Amino acid sequence: MLHSDSPPSPQLDKARAKMAEVFGYHDFRPGQGEIIESVLQGRDVLAVMPTGRGKSMCYQLPALMRGGLTVVISPLIALMRDQVSALQTAGVNAAALTSADEADDREAAWRALDEGSLRLLYMAPERMAVPGLAERLGRAGLTMIAVDEAHCVSQWGHDFRPDYLRISDFARAAGRPQIAAFTATADAAARRDISARLFEQPPAEFVSSFDRPNLHLAVGARRQGNSQVIDFVKARPDRAGIIYCASRKACDDMAEKLRAEDVYALSYHAGLDSETRSFRQDEFVKGDGVVMCATIAFGMGVDKPDVRYVVHAALPKSMEAYYQEIGRAGRDGDPADTLMLWSLGDAALRRRQINDSDSDDDRKRMEMRRLSALIAYCEAPQCRRQTLLGYFGDEISPCGHCDLCDDPPQLIDGAVLAQKAMSAIARTGQRFGLEHLISVLRGLKTDKVMARGHDALPTFGVGEDLSKEQWMSVFRQLFASGAIDQPIDGHGEWIITAKGKDILFAKQGIRLRPPEEQRGVRSSRARPSDAADQLLSEADRTIYIALRKKRLELAKESGKPAYTIFADRTLIEMAAEKPQTPEALSRIFGVGARKLERYGSEFLSVIKSEI
Ligand code: ADP
Ligand code: ZN
């Protein structure tokens, strides 16, 4: 459906010029051009684009080019505010109508609307219920309704919002403006459902790939303590990052440990009062280089483009959740890192949670299958991205930008290791957890081993050449490949599956990664963590830091998020190019006319004073 080699289009050239003038971006991101062209042709559009790719531009730019009013339906108030603030900074007349607005703001929005100068009006979905509003907007020259998070209209989705069902009636009452709908998650069935509920005629559909090539992917085994995460964070000083932790307490602990290392880290979870939560979210979004240690309660509706890394300090809930959570890094398209640390204990915990839930058996089985897919991803023998995108139905060749591509493991014949591990399980009666099984393999005379007489087993000590960590790696891989399992209603004991028996009795072979200790962590720590590191010399980095300081200062003065003043990429280019004149500055990525006028001289003088 996407044509990257579409014929030259004068309209698109105009759009590109407008984007450069207002936003300072000179090229479309993949997928944007086609969508914008369709929107400009007045067609209804349904576009599926991964988070961070730049969906908003697809309706903002046409809204600016055409005049008239575009209403944006968006469910997330915080996100609306940030978007409006970013647009205003770029000199666009935009406003929001939410239930949380001050009366003054509302008045100003209505005035602008009546004058016909308002280009974009953001609206919470429940607003559509206000009697007479649709008609009033229709009279005010409504040309388009842009629907953000369009999957919320589908009852199948996890985010169903009944208010979204009002959209098509609302559009009719407003005189049938064009509708452009956007979402990051919709498979073919969901797209049909969304289309049926939003549009009278089938819309032009666009589906762009789920790949986020700027994200580096890495997964590793978690060791005791928080040192892996702390090292990772310290290797990326002054970068904004999110660390997802398994529990409220884990968030608090992690934040405290990081603060002890002079990192500005905050915790965020449902156990905090709402005032503290919104203060901390604000610090993170508006500040520069804040690290948030959060449960999954954090992230929805946080639209910060310059998050430079996302770490999972424990196994995420599912592949879908993982994909969505890592997607919060690098939304500006610049390089960003991800790291997931997990242990078999996490998997056991998740299985217990699934088993103890109220769901019916079918649902539980489905959840277990999804968990298995996640574990298989963690222990993937090759390219992470192939496995990740394969799960979502995309096929790619090895990506060259994940821990396994950075440093491809030479797979070994794992038959003997697998047989040793599984015979420890079999000989002890499939009744024991890892700790004990590994003691038996390594020939340790622990109290438990002695009490059960397991030192007399033929398997006792057959694996003393490997460390405990290495045996853990073997067990993780056997689990990921489906050779061993834990009964869901059990107590942490390991059992051998049918596939495992075939391997144990040499009817089937198995290839394993050499049992190693900290895969992933090592390779992702060694690589340069982002564009600033890759592109700037030591001297330029000093300028970059000074520019960021200026940005933060201006942000604090105006109460705006720092990134709405200039993106990281813009400051990096400034530091590298060192423009001396407003003219030269305007050629830098992200410097539109309005920002040049408002901030140009301040940043120019920073550059001058630093060189
Ligand atoms: P989405 O809604 O798809 O998650 P956004 O619309 O919030 O993503 O865009 C993410 C970031 O990308 C924003 O900071 C936006 O300004 C930026 N962006 C959008 N289009 C472009 C482009 N063509 N070039 C550079 N940056 C862009
Ligand atoms: Zn790869």
Side-chain angles (χ1 to χ4, degrees):
M1 254 172 282
L2 291 183
H3 310 283
S4 49
D5 55 351
S6 39
S9 140
Q11 212 167 24
L12 214 48
D13 288 343
K14 253 193 241 160
R16 201 180 285 107
K18 186 80 181 173
M19 179 170 76
E21 177 202 324
V22 177
F23 299 97
Y25 305 140
H26 296 269
D27 291 299
F28 290 123
R29 295 245 185 90
Q32 283 181 325
E34 294 88 339
I35 297 170
I36 289 171
E37 187 159 40
S38 269
V39 172
L40 286 172
Q41 286 162 0
R43 302 193 58 186
D44 284 347
V45 163
L46 172 61
V48 185
M49 229 191 206
T51 303
R53 187 67 74 71
K55 287 185 277 296
S56 331
M57 190 63 77
C58 300
Y59 56 82
Q60 289 171 351
L61 204 50
L64 292 183
M65 293 175 65
R66 287 196 298 211
L69 174 69
T70 292
V71 161
V72 185
I73 306 291
S74 165
L76 305 164
I77 293 180
L79 196 140
M80 265 193 257
R81 288 222 192 89
D82 291 350
Q83 292 245 0
V84 169
S85 159
L87 283 166
Q88 288 171 344
T89 310
V92 176
N93 197 342
L97 277 185
T98 68
S99 36
D101 285 324
E102 304 293 329
D104 283 359
D105 292 349
R106 209 147 44 211
E107 274 313 303
W110 283 119
R111 250 195 326 275
L113 192 68
D114 291 336
E115 285 165 7
S117 58
L118 194 64
R119 289 286 85 85
L120 286 132
L121 178 65
Y122 283 72
M123 239 171 66
E126 60 272 15
R127 283 256 137 197
M128 285 185 290
V130 175
L133 182 61
E135 291 78 4
R136 184 167 178 190
L137 293 172
R139 284 194 301 276
L142 180 62
T143 45
M144 175 163 74
I145 298 178
V147 183
D148 202 7
E149 314 281 347
H151 58 277
C152 292
V153 76
S154 169
Q155 264 142 336
W156 304 352
H158 46 292
D159 275 342
F160 174 58
R161 309 240 173 180
D163 282 317
Y164 265 64
L165 295 175
R166 300 178 191 279
I167 293 175
S168 79
D169 285 345
F170 185 83
R172 208 165 300 129
R176 291 182 202 278
Q178 172 186 12
I179 297 180
F182 300 87
T183 174
T185 48
D187 57 17
R191 288 200 299 277
R192 275 196 299 279
D193 196 32
I194 295 171
S195 288
R197 290 167 194 278
L198 285 183
F199 303 101
E200 303 202 336
Q201 305 285 324
E205 272 192 36
F206 299 89
V207 182
S208 42
S209 156
F210 273 80
D211 193 13
R212 296 275 312 278
N214 62 320
L215 298 186
H216 184 267
L217 305 175
V219 180
R222 186 175 65 246
R223 280 172 288 142
Q224 287 277 309
N226 293 324
S227 63
Q228 287 159 293
V229 175
I230 291 169
D231 290 349
F232 182 93
V233 171
K234 284 172 71 183
R236 293 158 178 79
D238 301 321
R239 309 294 195 269
I242 303 174
I243 299 168
Y244 286 111
C245 306
S247 65
R248 298 172 185 186
K249 185 171 175 312
C251 294
D252 292 336
D253 284 354
M254 185 72 81
E256 199 172 312
K257 295 241 169 59
L258 285 168
R259 280 197 300 270
E261 302 279 341
D262 274 340
V263 174
Y264 184 20
L266 297 170
S267 66
Y268 185 102
H269 50 71
L272 299 166
D273 60 68
S274 68
E275 208 171 308
T276 309
R277 280 211 307 265
S278 74
F279 171 78
R280 291 184 180 179
Q281 174 163 333
D282 240 40
E283 281 289 286
F284 178 75
V285 172
K286 295 191 174 166
D288 191 11
V290 179
V291 177
M292 198 67 126
C293 305
T295 55
I296 46 173
F298 181 75
M300 250 306 248
V302 176
D303 181 19
K304 183 174 171 60
D306 55 352
V307 175
R308 292 270 69 88
Y309 57 84
V310 166
V311 174
H312 284 88
L315 197 65
K317 226 173 148 195
S318 61
M319 287 286 252
E320 286 85 353
Y322 171 71
Y323 178 80
Q324 206 165 48
E325 286 152 14
I326 60 173
R328 291 175 185 140
R331 298 177 62 149
D332 53 12
D334 280 351
D337 284 334
T338 72
L339 171 65
M340 188 225 292
L341 296 171
W342 77 291
S343 76
L344 284 173
D346 296 348
L349 177 67
R350 186 60 37 74
R351 300 169 75 87
R352 260 201 312 284
Q353 287 168 343
I354 295 171
N355 191 46
D356 295 347
S357 72
D358 302 328
S359 318
D360 58 36
D361 284 354
D362 273 353
R363 174 96 197 188
K364 284 184 185 173
R365 261 193 295 278
M366 187 193 75
E367 297 276 341
M368 286 299 177
R369 269 201 305 278
R370 293 171 70 192
L371 176 61
S372 304
L374 181 63
I375 306 295
Y377 170 74
C378 294
E379 292 298 316
Q382 74 228 341
C383 183
R384 295 261 179 233
R385 202 174 307 264
Q386 267 182 334
T387 312
L388 180 64
L389 296 180
Y391 180 82
F392 293 109
D394 271 7
E395 271 178 46
I396 57 158
S397 36
C399 74
H401 196 46
C402 70
D403 54 346
L404 297 174
C405 284
D406 295 346
D407 184 9
Q410 297 299 319
L411 296 190
I412 56 168
D413 180 350
V416 173
L417 283 173
Q419 285 159 6
K420 284 181 180 174
M422 288 190 288
S423 90
I425 296 176
R427 301 267 185 191
T428 55
Q430 309 197 93
R431 281 186 287 123
F432 292 90
L434 274 194
E435 193 75 32
H436 185 68
L437 294 170
I438 293 177
S439 297
V440 170
L441 283 162
R442 298 188 63 219
L444 303 182
K445 298 190 171 171
T446 63
D447 293 349
K448 202 166 169 182
V449 168
M450 301 315 284
R452 316 258 165 179
H454 287 164
D455 58 327
L457 295 175
T459 317
F460 185 75
V462 295
E464 49 185 12
D465 48 331
L466 296 193
S467 69
K468 180 175 170 188
E469 279 291 325
Q470 288 174 310
W471 276 116
M472 301 273 260
S473 161
V474 172
F475 278 100
R476 278 194 305 270
Q477 296 187 60
L478 290 176
F479 178 42
S481 67
I484 61 174
D485 204 353
Q486 290 185 297
I488 47 175
D489 47 359
H491 304 279
E493 71 271 28
W494 287 91
I495 57 171
I496 301 169
T497 64
K499 176 175 178 186
K501 286 187 187 127
D502 282 353
I503 296 169
L504 185 58
F505 300 118
K507 285 192 216 146
Q508 188 183 332
I510 182 166
R511 299 188 65 77
L512 297 176
R513 301 197 316 234
E516 270 188 89
E517 314 212 348
Q518 311 155 26
R519 263 213 79 83
V521 185
R522 195 189 46 203
S523 95
S524 80
R525 269 184 63 192
R527 58 182 291 283
S529 54
D530 61 26
D533 287 337
Q534 286 165 17
L535 302 175
L536 296 179
S537 68
E538 201 64 48
D540 291 352
R541 227 167 295 163
T542 324
I543 306 180
Y544 177 56
I545 290 167
L547 291 167
R548 287 176 54 150
K549 232 170 95 191
K550 172 54 78 184
R551 176 176 67 177
L552 189 60
E553 198 182 297
L554 292 169
K556 288 252 146 93
E557 270 170 27
S558 61
K560 283 187 189 138
Y563 69 82
T564 62
I565 295 184
F566 281 128
D568 285 356
R569 160 62 54 123
T570 303
L571 301 189
I572 291 169
E573 281 197 14
M574 280 186 203
E577 304 286 330
K578 305 173 203 51
Q580 303 285 315
T581 61
E583 222 287 294
L585 187 59
S586 75
R587 284 194 297 270
I588 300 280
F589 171 92
V591 184
R594 174 61 70 99
K595 290 192 184 178
L596 180 67
E597 188 186 309
R598 202 176 291 183
Y599 305 118
S601 63
E602 306 218 39
F603 283 88
L604 283 172
S605 59
V606 173
I607 295 168
K608 279 188 195 129
S609 68
E610 291 291 327
I611 54 179

